[in-house]
Every structure is written in C-alpha cells, then in structure tokens.
C-alpha cells in the first residue's frame, strides 16, 4: 500500500508543526528573559507543582489533586504579581522589535546613553585630575589586549568607570576595554606603546598607549590626563589633545551614534510616529 506525499503535507499537519514551533519560540525566549533573575527559582517551583500534580493524578490521590488544582486555578493572578518585572521587561523588549524602525531608535537611544555615561566619568575625573584610559572597540577585534586585563563583563556606567580609575586601587593602572556590545570587557589591560615622535614630550605613558592601540586597530581611545585633567581622543594613529567637552561629545556622537534614516516614505514616517507615540513620555 503506497502512501501519497500529499497526505503528509496537509494543512492540519502544517498547522500542528507551526503550533509547536511557536510554543518552542515562546518558551525559549521566556527562558532567555528570566535567566539570571530570581524568577528562575520561582519557575522551578511551578514546574515542581505540575510534576506533583501529574504524579498525584496517576496515583489517584484525590485530596492532593484537588488541592493542587485549587492552587493552579489561583496561580494565574499570583504569577502576574510575582513575575511583574519580567513581564514588563518582556513587553518593553517587544516594543523594541524592528517594526517601523523600533530597533533603529533603540540602538540610537542606547548609544546616546552610553556616551552620557562616558561623559559623566570624564567630567568627574577631569575636574579631579584622575588619570584614565578607555578604549572602545570598533570593527577590529581587541581579543589579544583583552586577554591581558582583568575580566569584568559589566554594563558601562559613569560610577563604575570612576571607581576603576581611582588611584591606588587594584584596577586603576592600565586600560579599560569596552567591547562592541558596549560592555566593559576588562580593566587593567595593557596596550602597545607608540614610538611616534610627533607625540609631545609632556604627554605620558597613557597617551602613548592610546596612540599605540590606534595605530594597530580602529578603536577609539579616550585619555584623561593625570597632570592637567585634559581630555585626548585617539583613532587611526591620530590624536586630538585637550578637547573641550563640546568637542569630544560631538566627536563621540558622530562616531558612535547611528545616523537617522531619512529615506522613509511619507506613510512610513506617519506609521513610525504612531509606533513611537508615548515612548518618551
């Protein structure tokens, strides 16, 4: 007896496969969402309750089954309350999906926030003449230099950068390297020193290291002088010394913040405005 392939590719079978894929996708992203949070332990407790319910049903433990059914019936409200932070974060994540430019706007806002944190640290350290060396990865990998530092894998905040470079602390001597995900990969990393004779004699080892890394990679490096509090930025073998706040903010914004796409049709702009309505409220 031969079976026709048409019987396999029916709408019923395809819808079942699609149903399974959707559930798998949702469960996978829920696991990613709650990973590393206190919700993981709560999720384990919920799974344990369902396992006990199944066993109680098989063993015909009627009282236990009834009790667990009551708990499950009222657990929906409890789950919403308990998992409120995760649910909110998940909905915010949906709002950043690349629909009508949502992803583009999200990347821009994250880049601006990143620059603001860098600026916060620079302003604090510059006024107090705390030396700093911050390298921001671009297209060229920095793995060889990351291996020389102390691993952090931390979010970039002004407060953390300031604490790293406070004198006489274990991490202050060396460079902070920020990877392409805008995470502090390592601190106290060693960068190659430049032999460029054009570097003024008054500039110290930090500046030579900043120029050195710019000669072998396309990374952007920010230096705060310990002697003068001046701010220097290096890239592609060039260095800009004693930049004002407006100058380095303009440079970092031009290099790190994605440009707006102005090629959208008129109706796309209207849809984008509706999609973003209330996002900054």
């Amino acid at each position: 007896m031969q079976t026709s392939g048409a019987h396999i590719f029916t709408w019923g079978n395809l819808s079942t496969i699609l149903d399974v894929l959707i559930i798998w996708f949702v469960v996978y992203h829920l696991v990613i969402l709650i990973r590393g949070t206190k919700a993981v332990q709560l999720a384990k407790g919920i799974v344990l309750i369902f396992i006990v319910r199944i066993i109680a049903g098989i063993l015909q433990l009627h009282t236990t089954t009834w009790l667990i059914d009551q708990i499950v019936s009222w657990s929906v409200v409890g789950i919403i309350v308990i998992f409120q932070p995760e649910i909110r974060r998940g909905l915010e994540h949906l709002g950043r999906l690349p629909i009508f430019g949502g992803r583009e706007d999200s990347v821009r806002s994250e880049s601006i926030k990143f620059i603001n944190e860098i600026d916060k640290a620079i302003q604090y350290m510059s006024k107090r003449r705390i030396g700093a060396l911050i390298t921001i990865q671009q297209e060229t990998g920095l793995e060889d230099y990351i291996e020389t530092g102390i691993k952090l894998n931390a979010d970039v905040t002004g407060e953390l950068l300031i604490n790293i470079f406070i004198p006489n602390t274990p991490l202050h001597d060396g460079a902070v390297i920020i990877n392409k995900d805008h995470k502090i990969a390592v601190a106290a990393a060693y960068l190659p020193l430049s032999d460029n004779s054009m570097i003024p004699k008054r500039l110290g080892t930090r500046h030579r290291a900043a120029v050195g890394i710019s000669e072998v990679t396309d990374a952007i490096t920010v230096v705060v002088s310990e002697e003068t509090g001046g701010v220097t930025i290096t890239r592609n073998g060039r260095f800009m010394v004693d930049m004002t706040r407006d100058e380095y903010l303009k440079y970092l914004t031009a290099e790190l913040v994605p440009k707006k796409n102005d090629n959208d049709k008129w109706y796309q702009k209207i849809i984008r405005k509706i999609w973003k309505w209330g996002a900054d409220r």
Side-chain angles (χ1 to χ4, degrees):
M1 180 177 178
Q2 294 182 345
T3 303
S4 174
H7 293 294
I8 299 175
F9 297 102
T10 61
W11 172 246
N13 291 338
L14 291 176
S15 65
T16 301
I17 294 172
L18 181 61
D19 202 19
V20 171
L21 289 175
I22 291 173
I23 296 300
W24 174 84
F25 179 83
V26 170
V27 171
Y28 172 78
H29 281 276
L30 281 175
V31 171
I32 295 298
L33 186 65
I34 68 174
R35 186 175 59 182
T37 69
K38 62 182 181 181
V40 173
Q41 300 303 321
L42 295 173
K44 290 179 180 179
I46 292 172
V47 171
L48 180 60
I49 289 174
F50 278 102
I51 291 174
V52 172
R53 170 63 180 82
I54 293 171
I55 294 174
I58 294 173
L59 299 178
Q60 297 184 0
L61 304 177
H62 302 296
T63 304
T64 304
T65 301
W66 177 85
L67 181 61
I68 294 177
D69 286 342
Q70 298 306 308
I71 294 173
V72 172
S73 299
W74 290 96
S75 64
V76 176
V77 177
I79 288 174
I80 294 175
V81 174
I82 294 172
F83 288 94
Q84 185 268 339
E86 285 72 24
I87 294 173
R88 178 175 180 177
R89 189 165 67 248
L91 293 175
E92 289 176 349
H93 180 71
L94 286 176
R96 298 191 188 100
L97 288 176
I99 303 172
F100 311 133
R103 177 60 182 167
E104 176 186 331
D105 294 333
S106 176
V107 171
R108 281 182 54 81
S109 63
E110 288 173 3
S111 299
I112 292 171
K113 180 182 177 183
F114 169 72
I115 292 173
N116 288 338
E117 294 298 329
I118 297 287
D119 176 47
K120 186 192 303 181
I122 290 174
Q123 286 299 301
Y124 183 95
M125 294 186 289
S126 177
K127 291 176 182 177
R128 293 161 180 79
R129 297 189 180 182
I130 298 172
L133 181 60
I134 304 169
T135 295
I136 305 169
Q137 180 182 348
Q138 297 302 291
E139 297 303 322
T140 307
L142 299 176
E143 285 75 15
D144 290 344
Y145 309 104
I146 288 175
E147 289 177 358
T148 67
I150 298 173
K151 186 176 180 180
L152 292 181
N153 191 29
D155 293 332
V156 175
T157 65
E159 291 78 8
L160 179 55
L161 290 172
I162 291 167
N163 275 300
I164 288 173
F165 289 110
I166 292 294
N168 302 319
T169 57
L171 300 179
H172 90 283
D173 191 16
V176 160
I177 297 180
I178 298 173
N179 61 27
K180 290 194 69 176
D181 295 328
H182 288 175
K183 293 272 191 180
I184 299 178
V186 294
Y190 292 99
L191 303 182
L193 299 181
S194 173
D195 294 326
N196 190 340
S197 60
M198 299 298 293
I199 301 176
K201 299 295 184 183
R202 63 185 176 85
L203 300 182
T205 304
R206 284 192 181 91
H207 291 80
R208 289 195 171 274
V211 176
I213 192 67
S214 75
E215 291 172 342
V216 294
T217 73
D218 62 348
I220 298 173
T221 301
V222 180
V223 185
V224 178
S225 172
E226 190 173 358
E227 287 74 25
T228 66
V231 179
T232 299
I233 290 181
T234 68
R235 191 183 191 189
N236 296 329
R238 298 183 295 108
F239 52 93
M240 296 160 278
V241 184
D242 294 332
M243 302 180 75
T244 66
R245 186 186 185 199
D246 289 339
E247 287 173 342
Y248 73 70
L249 283 178
K250 182 178 180 180
Y251 181 85
L252 292 177
T253 300
E255 296 296 328
L256 300 177
V257 178
K259 304 295 187 296
K260 282 187 176 181
N261 183 11
D262 296 325
N263 297 325
D264 292 340
K265 301 287 192 301
W266 64 269
Y267 58 85
Q268 291 176 316
K269 292 181 179 180
I270 294 174
I271 294 174
R272 186 193 297 271
K273 287 182 179 295
I274 295 173
W275 179 255
K276 294 192 301 181
W277 182 82
D280 299 325
R281 293 168 68 92

